[in-house]
């Protein structure tokens, strides 16, 4: 009898242990299972805001573009394709656009997506009290600036609901590539424009937010997504990593499937090493990187002096040295011979006779330590050594030079005019530039390059593509069984 009781006790312990294990597994069932198709990568350990309307950062966009999507997107061929839009029409002079939504669109909670969802989201961007950083990017819409400035009514805004699946947008002036602009993350809809608590994210993209911890973000395939049948990935594991070197090493250790922008930039210390790896892929984008300059500075305010300094910029050296990848200069300056350099020096000395250069320092705004150092080294080669102009790296609000990035989400280089119009022309839209050289000549922003994104990719990942507006959509990936 005693022997029987011992056996019975032992069996109870086994059952209890098994029960505890099963209970523990159920609490983490939303983590990727090796038996399911899943991909993983590293992302910076930031505080992620799950509202696409406020998206103004590459890393934020990388995450949000998996959860949300808009009316159009770039295909793997770099062409705009319809996404949540079933049809897009425009008039002959590109001032009126009509968008028709698909019939089968639902949110991740299975509620219907309507034209009102899109309109409410767009209008909220233009609501000044929301302090949305992207507001000026919609000023091409009729009366958008007036509405933002609270000088016109909502009924006068050029965004109209025709019916539950049709939107009409009227422009202030012809906008030939509005279908491209619609692919921007900030134009993706949100279900509740007033929601502040993002613990329960209702999305409309290929994935939904399954788990959020201090170590990782887990995305799970959205079964209510209109094109879910073509999504081959069930889980996405985004590992939150503080240190870029550690994140880079995770790829070599096989802990992640791909590594690079737009999710995590390859650190400067590893770019030369990464460029030699067979797994490296480079994708050209139309994201502008440039040096914004303070033209109130005693040196930079003189246009003739600016032209001399600009002519001395070695654009190829600056773009390749600053980034160590395949980025290309927006404006490729011609290489100067020794006599041309000497003539420019003489002209510069004549123009600056009344300026005491020894008392003037150009302040380069600190951004990233390595980036700032490389920009300073390049300017040293082009300006400091030749013209005795001093440049210091400082982390102050008042700056003379600052590295900036702008992405209008299109393939038209001239669309940097939206940034220029906002930054330098008080958003009046009166100046329509014809080319990049004209923009640079009048505003002296020193365009550096169009950004290339570098990514290391494991063999199991197929179909990886970064679009011209810098998006990598995991929904388009195929996973090899090898």
């Amino acid at each position: 009898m005693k022997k029987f009781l011992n056996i019975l006790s032992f069996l109870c312990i086994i059952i209890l242990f098994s029960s505890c294990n099963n209970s523990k597994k159920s609490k983490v069932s939303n983590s990727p299972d090796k038996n399911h198709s899943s991909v993983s990568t590293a992302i910076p350990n930031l505080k992620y805001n799950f509202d696409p309307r406020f998206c103004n950062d590459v890393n934020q966009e990388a995450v949000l573009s998996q959860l949300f999507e808009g009316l159009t997107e770039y295909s793997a061929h770099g062409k705009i394709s319809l996404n949540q839009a079933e049809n897009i029409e425009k008039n002959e002079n590109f001032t009126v656009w009509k968008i028709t939504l698909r019939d089968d669109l639902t949110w991740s909670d299975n509620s219907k997506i309507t034209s009102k969802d899109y309109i409410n989201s767009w209008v909220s961007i233009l609501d000044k009290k929301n302090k949305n950083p992207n507001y000026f990017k919609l000023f091409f819409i009729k009366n958008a600036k007036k509405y933002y400035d609270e000088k016109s009514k909502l009924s006068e805004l050029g965004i109209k609901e025709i019916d539950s699946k049709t939107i009409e947008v009227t422009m202030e002036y012809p906008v030939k590539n509005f279908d491209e602009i619609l692919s921007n993350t900030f134009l993706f809809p949100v279900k509740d424009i007033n929601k502040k608590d993002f613990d329960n994210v209702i999305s409309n993209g290929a994935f939904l937010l399954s788990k959020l911890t201090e170590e990782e973000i887990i995305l799970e395939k959205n079964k209510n997504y209109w094109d879910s049948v073509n999504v081959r990935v069930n889980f996405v594991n985004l590992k939150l990593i503080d240190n870029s070197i550690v994140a880079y090493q995770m790829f070599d250790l096989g802990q992640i499937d791909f590594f690079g922008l737009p999710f995590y930039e390859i650190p400067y210390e590893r770019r030369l090493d990464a460029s030699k790896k067979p797994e490296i892929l480079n994708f050209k984008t139309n994201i502008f990187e440039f040096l914004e300059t303070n033209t109130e500075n005693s040196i930079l305010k003189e246009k003739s002096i600016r032209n001399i300094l600009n002519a001395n910029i070695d654009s190829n050296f600056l773009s390749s040295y600053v980034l160590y990848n395949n980025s290309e200069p927006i404006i490729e300056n011609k290489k100067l011979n020794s006599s041309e350099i000497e003539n420019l020096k003489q002209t510069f000395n004549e123009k600056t006779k009344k300026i005491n250069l020894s008392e003037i320092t150009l302040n380069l705004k600190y951004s990233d330590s390595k980036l700032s150092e490389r920009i300073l080294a390049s300017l040293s080669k082009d300006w400091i050594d030749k013209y005795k102009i001093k440049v210091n790296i400082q982390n102050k609000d008042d700056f003379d030079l600052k590295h900036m990035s702008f992405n209008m989400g299109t393939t038209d280089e001239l669309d940097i005019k939206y940034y220029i119009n906002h930054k330098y022309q008080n958003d009046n839209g009166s100046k329509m530039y014809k080319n990049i050289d004209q923009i640079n000549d009048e505003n002296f922003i020193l365009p550096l390059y169009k950004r290339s994104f570098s990514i290391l990719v494991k063999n199991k990942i197929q179909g990886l593509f970064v679009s011209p507006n810098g998006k990598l959509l995991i929904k388009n990936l195929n996973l090899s069984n090898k």
Side-chain angles (χ1 to χ4, degrees):
M1 184 68 179
K2 186 177 180 181
K3 184 176 181 181
F4 172 76
L5 289 173
N6 287 338
I7 294 172
L8 184 61
S9 299
F10 179 74
L11 289 173
C12 287
I13 290 171
I14 292 176
I15 292 170
L16 181 62
F17 181 78
S18 176
S19 168
C20 289
N21 274 351
N22 288 336
S23 175
K24 189 175 182 179
K25 283 183 180 179
S26 67
K27 292 180 182 178
V28 293
S29 60
N30 53 358
S31 292
D33 189 323
K34 290 184 178 179
N35 295 324
H36 295 87
S37 57
S38 65
V39 297
S40 61
T41 189
I43 62 174
N45 192 3
L46 307 172
K47 185 176 182 180
Y48 288 87
N49 179 0
F50 295 98
D51 188 335
R53 296 171 299 169
F54 292 84
C55 201
N56 198 28
D57 174 83
V58 169
N59 304 124
Q60 295 276 356
E61 284 196 57
V63 175
L64 285 172
S65 58
Q66 316 309 321
L67 292 164
F68 295 87
E69 73 172 20
L71 297 162
T72 64
E73 72 181 32
Y74 283 98
S75 69
H77 302 291
K79 305 291 184 181
I80 280 293
S81 61
L82 298 180
N83 216 26
Q84 296 221 324
E86 181 181 70
N87 187 44
I88 296 181
E89 300 174 2
K90 53 190 176 294
N91 64 358
E92 289 184 1
N93 62 356
F94 304 98
T95 56
V96 180
W97 291 71
K98 189 168 77 172
I99 304 156
T100 305
L101 302 182
R102 294 179 181 273
D103 287 322
D104 53 349
L105 297 178
T106 60
W107 294 98
S108 56
D109 66 356
N110 205 31
S111 59
K112 188 77 173 173
I113 296 175
T114 67
S115 55
K116 183 69 78 176
D117 291 319
Y118 274 93
I119 291 173
N120 287 344
S121 297
W122 296 349
V123 171
S124 73
I125 294 171
L126 293 168
D127 189 335
K128 184 176 287 188
K129 71 175 182 291
N130 290 332
K131 298 180 180 179
N132 191 305
N134 298 304
Y135 70 93
F136 71 93
K137 296 177 184 177
L138 292 180
F139 281 176
F140 54 76
I141 295 175
K142 188 173 181 60
N143 290 325
K145 186 178 188 307
K146 288 182 180 179
Y147 179 77
Y148 177 80
D149 291 335
E150 300 175 340
K151 294 180 179 178
S152 69
K153 300 176 182 177
L154 178 59
S155 59
E156 298 172 300
L157 184 63
I159 305 175
K160 306 295 180 187
E161 178 190 10
I162 304 302
D163 55 46
S164 63
K165 58 177 291 188
T166 311
I167 306 167
E168 183 178 273
V169 183
T170 303
M171 308 299 178
E172 284 281 2
Y173 46 81
V175 179
K176 295 184 178 181
N177 60 344
F178 183 52
D179 53 346
E180 279 191 285
I181 294 173
L182 288 170
S183 69
N184 277 275
T185 305
F186 75 93
L187 289 174
F188 294 176
V190 292
K191 183 175 181 182
D192 185 353
I193 61 169
N194 297 313
K195 184 176 180 181
K196 302 298 182 186
D197 179 10
F198 290 99
D199 288 339
N200 181 26
V201 178
I202 299 174
S203 56
N204 73 326
F207 300 94
L208 51 84
L209 181 61
S210 176
K211 182 180 178 182
L212 175 62
T213 70
E214 294 180 356
E215 291 80 33
E216 63 185 0
I217 299 174
I218 303 295
L219 310 182
E220 183 178 348
K221 181 177 175 179
N222 178 11
K223 294 178 181 177
N224 292 320
Y225 175 58
W226 68 271
D227 196 30
S228 64
V229 66
N230 290 314
V231 179
R232 307 300 182 192
V233 177
N234 289 322
F235 291 98
V236 182
N237 187 354
L238 305 174
K239 301 176 186 291
L240 296 164
I241 308 298
D242 284 308
N243 188 290
S244 61
I245 302 295
V246 171
Y248 177 81
Q249 291 172 335
M250 290 174 71
F251 178 81
D252 287 334
L253 295 171
Q255 297 173 351
I256 53 178
D257 300 309
F258 65 89
F259 179 76
L261 282 178
F263 289 91
Y264 211 133
E265 188 164 20
I266 295 175
Y268 283 101
E269 299 90 338
R270 298 292 182 271
R271 289 188 188 179
L272 187 59
D273 174 60
S275 67
K276 299 175 182 177
K277 292 182 182 292
E279 302 99 330
I280 193 77
L281 296 176
N282 289 299
F283 297 91
K284 297 183 187 302
T285 76
N286 273 3
I287 298 176
F288 285 83
E289 303 278 341
F290 55 92
L291 283 181
E292 180 183 306
T293 57
N294 173 23
T295 52
E296 297 300 315
N297 178 279
S298 55
I299 296 177
L300 300 177
K301 69 180 180 181
E302 187 71 38
K303 187 174 181 179
S304 58
I305 295 176
R306 296 203 305 261
N307 289 339
I308 293 171
L309 296 176
N310 190 34
N312 275 275
I313 290 288
D314 186 339
S315 53
N316 284 303
F317 176 83
L318 188 55
S319 62
S320 60
Y321 180 75
V322 166
L323 282 190
Y324 263 154
N325 64 13
N326 289 341
S327 294
E328 296 177 347
I330 300 168
I331 299 175
E332 188 168 349
N333 290 347
K334 72 168 189 174
K335 191 158 186 162
L336 302 175
N337 58 41
S338 57
S339 61
E340 288 173 323
I341 292 173
E342 191 56 38
N343 288 336
L344 286 173
K345 270 188 178 182
Q346 291 178 8
T347 305
F348 179 83
N349 291 333
E350 290 173 8
K351 296 287 182 182
T352 57
K353 276 182 180 178
K354 297 180 180 180
I355 301 174
N356 189 348
L357 293 177
S358 63
E359 295 181 356
I360 297 174
T361 300
L362 297 182
N363 294 321
L364 172 63
K365 174 75 173 177
Y366 173 87
S367 50
D368 173 272
S369 59
K370 292 294 179 182
L371 178 62
S372 298
E373 288 169 9
R374 290 184 182 281
I375 292 174
L376 181 61
S378 183
L379 292 179
S380 175
K381 169 183 173 292
D382 296 325
W383 289 359
I384 301 172
D385 293 345
K386 293 174 186 173
Y387 299 104
K388 309 306 178 187
I389 297 174
K390 292 183 289 185
V391 180
N392 285 341
I393 300 175
Q394 293 186 0
N395 194 15
K396 294 183 178 179
D397 291 333
D398 55 328
F399 61 87
D400 301 300
L401 301 164
K402 182 181 179 182
H403 183 267
M404 296 290 292
S405 177
F406 181 72
N407 181 17
M408 193 58 193
T410 72
T411 55
D412 188 350
E413 289 184 348
L414 273 178
D415 279 349
I416 196 175
K417 66 179 177 284
Y418 295 112
Y419 174 85
I420 298 300
N421 184 46
H422 171 63
K423 187 71 180 179
Y424 299 105
Q425 297 168 3
N426 197 30
D427 294 311
N428 61 23
S430 61
K431 183 68 177 180
M432 302 299 284
Y433 293 100
K434 295 180 180 179
N435 52 59
I436 294 293
D437 295 274
Q438 187 183 41
I439 290 175
N440 190 44
D441 181 56
E442 294 192 13
N443 301 282
F444 197 56
I445 61 168
L446 287 180
L448 298 182
Y449 39 73
K450 287 189 290 186
R451 192 73 177 270
S452 284
F453 283 5
S454 299
I455 305 177
L456 294 164
V457 188
K458 295 293 184 185
N459 289 333
K460 70 172 269 190
I461 302 291
Q462 298 175 349
L464 188 144
F465 163 74
V466 176
S467 65
N469 60 349
K471 285 189 174 63
L472 191 168
L473 299 178
I474 294 175
K475 69 174 186 178
N476 296 331
L477 299 183
N478 285 311
L479 305 182
S480 171
N481 293 324
K482 294 179 181 180

